[in-house]
Amino acid sequence: MELLDSFLPHGLATVIWIVLKIVLIVLPLMVLVAYYTLAERKVIGFMQVRIGPNRVGPNGLGQPIADALKLMFKEIILPTKANKVLFLIAPLLTLGPALAAWAVFPFDAELVLADVNAGLLYILALTSVGVYGVIIAGWASNSKYALLGAVRSAAQIVSYEIAMGFAIVGVLVAAGSLNLGDIVRAQDGSLFHWFWLPLFPLLVIYFISGVAETNRAPFDVAEGESEIVAGFHVEYSGMTFAVFFLGEYANMILISALTALMFLGGWLSPFQGTFLEPVFAWVPGLVWLFLKTAIFAFLFLWFRATFPRYRYDQIMRLGWKVFIPITIVWIMVVGLAVVLELPWWFD
Amino acid sequence: MTFELFLFYVFSAALLYAATMVITQRNSVHSALFLVLAFCCAAGVWLLAEAEFLAIVLILVYVGAVMVLFLFVVMMLDVDQASDRAGYMKYAPVGVLIAVVLAIELMLVVGPGNFGLDKFASPIPHAADYSNTKELGRVLYTVYMYPFELAAVILLVAIIAAIGLTLRKRPQTRYQDPAKQVQVKAADRVRIVKMATEKKWS
């Protein structure tokens, strides 16, 4: 920063510094997304007693790179009667919010691009904007399967957003702040000070709603390859399809990381308050955050290999009649606990 | 010109452009999408006015939920655009008249004479630790408690009315009772018959 400031005008140096930070977040994220797809194929392979990809590089480690190259050099096909502009904007609208949400994400006590007061609200707003990619893609493709997928996804995402929002309200009542860093700091203490214990129902509901929001199995009716081919991205090929793919996986990682942040204490060490704390003091907070995120990222894959797809009316029933009432009741429980200053989370 | 002022003009210009496109586009899906763009620009302007909470909630509620449902409906409608424009010239004079009257009224109420730095001093920027969300919550639950509660009750009545209007039991609709489905035992559905192994047919 000082180096840049010395030979550039002040404003420009700040902009370049921020752009550098953004690159530092986005590049590792993209690598993570690429290897998450490999992890998915490997994990599901093992669960189904297969080997998974093992041809490119040692143990198939070059597979994501091969896939990326293949997708990049494939032809992009524009359907004749498609709305060209919207057809090409749609994948960007999926990827954009998934990346922009990381701007307020604290990776460590100090490591955050924008320390925003209303960070949690910002992330909730951006994840809800992500649905436009799916809807616009479905409509602009001018294909009935794509439109059906888009309509299914729109109804599903709007329904689960409510449960998700209420779960987040529970967290912010417990933490007393919308700032993501402060939410982690409120869980400081030990493994049992983290919010997973007092907010357990909200943890379960938040994560399941997150799975539904990202259109992953068992809630992937928007793709539903057995009945509507591949749903909203039926007409997409090559790089445009790859951008959808990137967006979906970036969103999965984001939901996993957020769950780890709000309920498992983010960058806090799990050995806090025990005799092991000094032993593991050298481990950076980023590593703990990564490990906690990996738990939920693995659950995404486990779900996909285990559960059959929900029927549409069951999805709606689960969202509206089960999740929303539970979250409302639990918000009242948390509110009461905060008012009574229940030890040891809320004193 | 400061950077904030530049941003303000960019957002305002985009907002006006998007709002004009909403009413001039032939395709209703395009109109709805331009309305989304208009909301986003308005949120940008609000952010510049240091109303972060309202700006983010505008995106969350209007862009993230209301407009999605809007698009949902608009995409499903097969609007016959030719018949929409059939009586255009016939109704144009009345429409223009109403528009002119409305424009004059608006000019009288929110005309340029009511604005300007002499009427409203430009707001003093808040410190970095100022939380718009906290401030809003404090005012909403103390000073404006009754209006807030009244609005909540009215919305609740609206929800009940909307559900009451659309909820009707049709005799031919078949419902599932998940409680009953869960209680079903294998014995209720499958009968296992014991029988001797049959000889191989030869």
Side-chain angles (χ1 to χ4, degrees):
Chain A
M1 180 76 204
E2 283 78 27
L3 184 75
L4 283 170
D5 238 358
S6 57
F7 61 93
L8 282 173
H10 180 67
L12 194 63
T14 316
V15 169
I16 291 179
W17 185 238
I18 292 175
V19 169
L20 270 179
K21 282 189 198 165
I22 293 173
V23 170
L24 267 181
I25 293 176
V26 170
L27 269 190
L29 187 67
M30 285 291 121
V31 174
L32 212 60
V33 165
Y35 277 89
Y36 192 28
T37 62
L38 178 69
E40 171 170 41
R41 293 168 69 180
K42 281 277 183 193
V43 166
I44 294 180
F46 284 124
M47 284 181 184
Q48 296 168 348
V49 206
R50 297 183 283 114
I51 293 174
N54 66 342
R55 294 285 129 178
V56 192
N59 266 326
L61 278 176
Q63 188 68 43
I65 298 158
D67 284 344
L69 282 177
K70 179 196 79 176
L71 285 169
M72 255 183 259
F73 290 110
K74 264 189 168 179
E75 185 190 357
I76 295 175
I77 298 165
L78 290 172
T80 20
K81 283 201 172 171
N83 189 314
K84 301 254 164 5
V85 180
L86 288 181
F87 187 80
L88 293 176
I89 286 178
L92 298 179
L93 279 178
T94 311
L95 184 62
L99 295 182
W102 289 94
V104 297
F105 194 90
F107 298 95
D108 205 340
E110 304 294 324
L111 217 60
V112 52
L113 178 60
D115 196 9
V116 181
N117 266 331
L120 197 55
L121 211 58
Y122 169 84
I123 284 191
L124 196 62
L126 276 184
T127 45
S128 68
V129 169
V131 61
Y132 278 96
V134 176
I135 297 181
I136 291 175
W139 184 78
S141 300
N142 199 20
S143 145
K144 60 187 162 202
Y145 294 126
L147 186 65
L148 281 174
V151 167
R152 283 180 177 197
S153 144
Q156 176 186 326
I157 291 183
V158 168
S159 315
Y160 276 83
E161 214 167 75
I162 303 172
M164 208 172 184
F166 275 136
I168 285 180
V169 168
V171 174
L172 85 92
V173 168
S177 173
L178 276 170
N179 185 311
L180 287 165
D182 288 345
I183 289 173
V184 175
R185 269 167 227 123
Q187 305 176 52
D188 199 28
S190 76
L191 188 73
F192 299 101
H193 282 77
W194 298 351
F195 285 154
W196 66 272
L197 205 53
L199 303 182
F200 191 73
L202 298 184
L203 163 65
V204 173
I205 287 173
Y206 180 79
F207 188 65
I208 295 178
S209 306
V211 176
E213 284 259 314
T214 44
N215 282 323
R216 291 287 301 180
F219 301 98
D220 56 348
V221 287
E223 292 183 32
E225 51 285 82
S226 54
E227 62 255 39
I228 52 170
V229 200
F232 62 95
H233 57 47
V234 141
E235 306 292 342
Y236 283 85
S237 65
M239 209 52 215
T240 48
F241 170 76
V243 172
F244 266 124
F245 207 67
L246 282 177
E248 183 179 328
Y249 281 79
N251 261 327
M252 284 157 66
I253 296 176
L254 179 70
I255 296 284
S256 311
L258 278 175
T259 319
L261 197 78
M262 289 192 289
F263 298 99
L264 287 191
W267 66 78
L268 298 174
S269 157
F271 301 113
Q272 253 186 340
T274 66
F275 68 96
L276 280 171
E277 191 184 353
V279 183
F280 285 96
W282 55 273
V283 180
L286 194 59
V287 174
W288 294 127
L289 181 67
F290 183 79
L291 289 176
K292 288 168 187 172
T293 307
I295 297 174
F296 293 105
F298 180 76
L299 277 177
F300 266 104
L301 311 182
W302 195 359
F303 285 172
R304 185 171 166 196
T306 309
F307 295 123
R309 187 174 294 137
Y310 262 100
R311 209 173 54 208
Y312 199 77
D313 62 313
Q314 291 173 329
I315 292 184
M316 286 297 154
R317 184 179 161 270
L318 186 71
W320 289 98
K321 293 187 177 172
V322 180
F323 281 178
I324 295 178
I326 294 178
T327 45
I328 292 177
V329 168
W330 208 257
I331 286 172
M332 287 183 203
V333 172
V334 174
L336 210 66
V338 170
V339 169
L340 297 176
E341 299 190 342
L342 184 81
W344 59 69
W345 300 287
F346 308 119
D347 50 0
Chain B
M1 191 159 72
T2 61
F3 187 60
E4 277 90 12
L5 204 59
F6 170 72
L7 276 183
F8 172 77
Y9 281 118
V10 169
F11 278 127
S12 308
L15 176 59
L16 287 178
Y17 169 75
T20 320
M21 293 311 268
V22 172
I23 51 171
T24 51
Q25 282 287 317
R26 290 264 165 88
N27 191 326
S28 43
V29 172
H30 288 182
S31 294
L33 288 174
F34 272 113
L35 192 54
V36 171
L37 180 62
F39 281 136
C40 293
C41 295
V45 173
W46 286 4
L47 269 183
L48 287 173
E50 296 189 1
E52 304 97 44
F53 183 80
L54 286 179
I56 298 176
V57 165
L58 179 72
I59 299 278
L60 180 62
V61 175
Y62 280 89
V63 177
V66 174
M67 286 313 292
V68 172
L69 292 179
F70 238 85
L71 267 177
F72 188 91
V73 175
V74 167
M75 282 191 325
M76 302 304 285
L77 292 176
D78 191 16
V79 187
D80 183 9
Q81 290 176 343
S83 75
D84 265 12
R85 286 195 290 274
Y88 187 79
M89 285 319 288
K90 201 169 121 197
Y91 296 114
V94 186
V96 169
L97 187 72
I98 294 173
V100 168
V101 170
L102 259 180
I104 292 171
E105 281 178 355
L106 279 174
M107 287 291 258
L108 288 176
V109 180
V110 289
N114 299 326
F115 291 104
L117 281 177
D118 51 328
K119 299 278 196 308
F120 298 96
S122 72
I124 306 139
H126 292 282
D129 60 345
Y130 167 78
S131 172
N132 179 246
T133 316
K134 201 172 267 177
E135 200 59 37
L136 200 71
R138 191 168 289 143
V139 172
L140 210 54
Y141 286 102
T142 52
V143 183
Y144 297 104
M145 188 69 199
Y146 284 122
F148 181 73
E149 293 288 327
L150 272 177
V153 170
I154 291 171
L155 281 176
L156 183 66
V157 171
I159 292 174
I160 294 170
I163 294 173
L165 282 174
T166 50
L167 187 73
R168 51 193 167 144
K169 291 244 175 193
R170 297 191 199 96
Q172 71 269 31
T173 317
R174 294 196 292 180
Y175 293 95
Q176 286 165 338
D177 187 350
K180 273 188 194 161
Q181 289 179 326
V182 171
Q183 278 172 353
V184 165
K185 296 275 181 295
D188 303 340
R189 296 281 164 86
V190 187
R191 192 167 57 93
I192 296 182
V193 185
K194 280 261 182 209
M195 57 182 288
T197 318
E198 285 190 18
K199 284 259 172 64
K200 193 180 178 189
W201 188 76
S202 57

